[in-house]
Amino acid sequence: MFALVDCNSFFASCEQLFRPDLIGKAVVVLSNNDGVVVARTKEAKQLGVKMGEPFFQIRQLTQQNRLTVFSSNFTLYSDLSRRVMQTLENFCPVIEIYSIDEAFLDLSGMTINDLTEFGYKISTTVERWTGLPVSVGIAPTKTLAKIANETAKKNETKICNLQDESECIKTLQKFDIGDVWGIGRRLVVSLRRLGLRTAYELSQVDPLWMRKNFSVIQEKTVRELRGEICFEVDIPQTRKSIQVSRSFGDSTSCLADLEEAAASFAIRAAEKARTDGTVASAIYVHVNTSRFKKNKENYYSNGVIVPFPEPTSNTIEIIAAAKKGLRQIFIPNLQYKKATVILLNLLDAKFAASQKTLFDKNESYSQNQKETENRLMSSLDEINHKFGRGSIFFGVEGIQQPTWRPRHNMKSPCYTTNINDLPIAK
DNA sequence: TCTGGGGTCCTAGGACCC
DNA sequence: TCTGGGGTCCTAGGACCC
């Protein structure tokens, strides 16, 4: 059996946690650059606010005081997520943190008398310890646990246990095929065309036929709906790529602006790699203009991969490569709206280093140089960790508030991570 | 005026090998 | 006239997830 624990309207709940005056109100959280809606409370859903809806289309509601809007505050959400996950670890030794707001618990090998009761225990404990509401879905496979969780969200108790087979079938018969985990926007069109409407109907399709006509993933989805485990709880290894990208507050046609943005993203990506203990074999740099301009023919979107001579997490090398790539794809006089940097083919840093000394016999001057630079990077990270991000930074990041800096005009304080932002009880 | 960011996996097809 | 068989690796593109 698996349990899927998922925080309800996670980002919005995080905001309400420190703004109890907003409990029971319509609240949404926006994506970066205050672009689109990424989280909504129940009340906001009832107002008709859609997931992914552009902010400018719902601005009216905020002006009428019917809706409270926040820019995203990932520092806050990450910290609260960590607390939720730590709480869950008390309930089960094998847990897969699947996303910032949900985790699978592998209950196999545990003796639990009453699974529903167990789910209830989880939900009340998380709520008491963190202040955040969660739903719990329990089922024999991960795909079914997902469905159980969706169903739980509509329950009064926020718990749904699909252990019982007839109960499970009843639920599947009411569950839309498009909401099944692994059935996305494209697939649902083909499946509906075949006359399949519900999760139950999908579960009755021949798995081999599914594999032949779609892919092995869809075959597994069908099997999982029947109760056959195909997706185990997996404890993720370090990630294989690191992406940093932002839409710009204001678009720009200036190469210097783009260089500043690309360098900033490269710096952030390099930091993440060092935190993970990985080195990148190549970097991908991408820029694009706005997809939403009337004149579609002028849309420009291009990227290039720049390999490194040897895998690295050195910010200086990574910035240089990012700028090199950028100059290859830059075309003057376009209104750029977004830049992306991705570190590719990440390897374990220690493994990469051992491979190198294995084959590279001339331990040379350049090797010493490398070690010096690595120490420089470590010092940089330590200082910024100790005294806060930005205590020490690269000149290429720019000193003035650049035009490309994303908007986030409605960001809440970092209540739990910044001493100056501590809430005051009156 | 204004439309997000960060990941993973699978498949088909080409290049290449013996 | 007739032109093999079996395999690996890599990549781009497309699908999915939250």
Side-chain angles (χ1 to χ4, degrees):
Chain A
M1 298 298 287
F2 297 86
L4 175 62
V5 183
D6 188 306
C7 301
N8 305 336
S9 315
F10 181 54
F11 298 167
S13 298
C14 291
E15 300 295 350
Q16 286 174 318
L17 186 56
F18 292 93
R19 288 286 306 275
D21 58 304
L22 294 176
I23 290 169
K25 301 263 172 68
V27 175
V28 297
V29 176
L30 301 176
S31 64
N32 243 314
N33 210 27
D34 294 343
V36 304
V37 172
V38 294
R40 309 162 293 163
T41 59
K42 190 175 76 214
E43 293 77 11
K45 288 172 197 170
Q46 283 162 1
L47 261 185
V49 179
K50 300 274 178 306
M51 195 68 168
E53 189 161 10
F55 173 46
F56 66 88
Q57 288 176 3
I58 54 164
R59 185 168 282 156
Q60 233 188 351
L61 289 171
T62 70
Q63 285 158 353
Q64 298 163 353
N65 281 327
R66 298 166 69 193
L67 180 68
T68 306
V69 178
F70 288 95
S71 303
S72 44
N73 181 350
F74 276 95
T75 312
L76 176 66
Y77 311 149
S78 306
D79 188 54
L80 294 177
S81 170
R82 186 183 51 77
R83 298 181 186 192
V84 171
M85 300 308 168
Q86 280 180 359
T87 306
L88 295 179
E89 278 162 5
N90 286 282
F91 286 93
C92 180
V94 187
I95 142 171
E96 173 187 351
I97 298 172
Y98 180 67
S99 74
I100 193 162
D101 73 331
E102 61 186 304
F104 286 102
L105 277 53
D106 183 350
L107 308 181
S108 60
M110 292 176 69
T111 41
I112 301 161
N113 288 329
D114 184 339
L115 283 167
T116 308
E117 186 58 36
F118 179 70
Y120 187 67
K121 190 94 198 289
I122 292 177
S123 128
T124 48
T125 308
V126 173
E127 183 141 16
R128 183 163 304 154
W129 290 9
T130 69
L132 295 164
V134 296
S135 301
V136 185
I138 297 168
T141 67
K142 288 171 87 174
T143 304
L144 289 171
K146 271 277 190 188
I147 290 175
N149 191 283
E150 281 301 305
T151 311
K153 286 206 189 304
K154 289 165 199 139
N155 283 352
E156 193 71 22
T157 59
K158 304 290 179 199
I159 314 294
C160 174
N161 177 4
L162 296 183
Q163 184 177 28
D164 178 71
E165 197 179 334
S166 63
E167 186 68 25
C168 187
I169 289 173
K170 253 192 272 170
T171 303
L172 293 190
Q173 283 168 339
K174 284 183 284 186
F175 200 84
D176 189 274
I177 194 168
D179 295 333
V180 173
W181 192 39
I183 305 298
R185 208 173 322 161
R186 305 306 276 265
L187 270 167
V188 77
V189 175
S190 317
L191 296 173
R192 288 231 172 88
R193 207 173 287 147
L194 291 163
L196 300 167
R197 297 270 174 268
T198 66
Y200 179 74
E201 286 169 0
L202 181 60
S203 77
Q204 296 306 298
V205 174
D206 176 16
L208 294 176
W209 183 89
M210 208 63 194
R211 179 187 206 135
K212 206 168 167 188
N213 288 275
F214 297 98
S215 86
V216 62
I217 301 194
Q218 283 69 44
E219 177 196 358
K220 288 179 174 175
T221 297
V222 169
R223 290 184 188 279
E224 286 240 320
L225 288 174
R226 300 173 175 208
E228 187 183 324
I229 294 174
C230 298
F231 302 121
E232 296 285 351
V233 157
D234 82 314
I235 312 302
Q237 312 302 309
T238 55
R239 53 198 155 171
K240 295 160 185 169
S241 65
I242 292 174
Q243 173 174 344
V244 180
S245 67
R246 293 287 180 277
S247 292
F248 302 152
D250 292 310
S251 56
T252 178
S253 57
C254 168
L255 178 62
D257 278 348
L258 286 175
E259 283 191 339
E260 206 175 284
S264 301
F265 303 167
I267 288 162
R268 184 76 195 98
E271 276 172 13
K272 290 187 185 184
R274 292 196 296 272
T275 304
D276 286 0
T278 53
V279 284
S281 313
I283 184 173
Y284 175 74
V285 188
H286 183 105
V287 291
N288 59 269
T289 58
S290 172
R291 301 198 315 279
F292 298 97
K293 285 275 179 263
K294 285 188 197 90
N295 194 346
K296 290 238 156 68
E297 281 127 52
N298 283 350
Y299 177 60
Y300 178 69
S301 167
N302 197 10
V304 64
I305 294 175
V306 182
F308 295 116
E310 58 188 71
T312 182
S313 63
N314 180 327
T315 300
I316 297 163
E317 284 178 59
I318 292 175
I319 292 174
K323 288 171 86 168
K324 180 178 162 197
L326 181 65
R327 284 192 286 268
Q328 287 174 33
I329 53 176
F330 176 78
I331 296 179
N333 301 321
L334 294 176
Q335 285 299 317
Y336 294 94
K337 186 63 182 164
K338 180 178 179 178
T340 303
V341 159
I342 310 179
L343 295 179
L344 300 168
N345 274 335
L346 293 165
L347 309 170
D348 180 78
K350 288 196 189 101
F351 173 76
S354 71
Q355 290 294 297
K356 179 156 167 51
T357 46
L358 201 57
F359 296 109
D360 189 0
K361 294 208 171 76
N362 1 331
E363 293 272 308
S364 56
Y365 167 77
S366 83
Q367 199 55 31
N368 290 331
Q369 173 91 3
K370 274 220 116 67
E371 274 162 27
T372 307
E373 287 181 355
N374 285 342
R375 281 206 300 279
L376 176 62
M377 290 302 119
S378 304
S379 307
L380 194 74
D381 292 340
E382 269 175 52
I383 291 168
N384 279 331
H385 184 249
K386 191 163 176 184
F387 299 102
R389 173 163 301 152
S391 299
I392 222 176
F393 63 93
F394 286 83
V396 280
E397 288 179 79
I399 294 168
Q400 293 181 335
Q401 247 337 289
T403 54
W404 58 267
R405 189 78 69 199
R407 281 186 278 270
H408 47 84
N409 297 324
M410 297 153 288
K411 194 172 151 198
S412 55
C414 292
Y415 300 106
T416 62
T417 52
N418 185 338
I419 194 78
N420 299 316
D421 286 354
L422 269 182
I424 296 167
K426 288 182 180 159

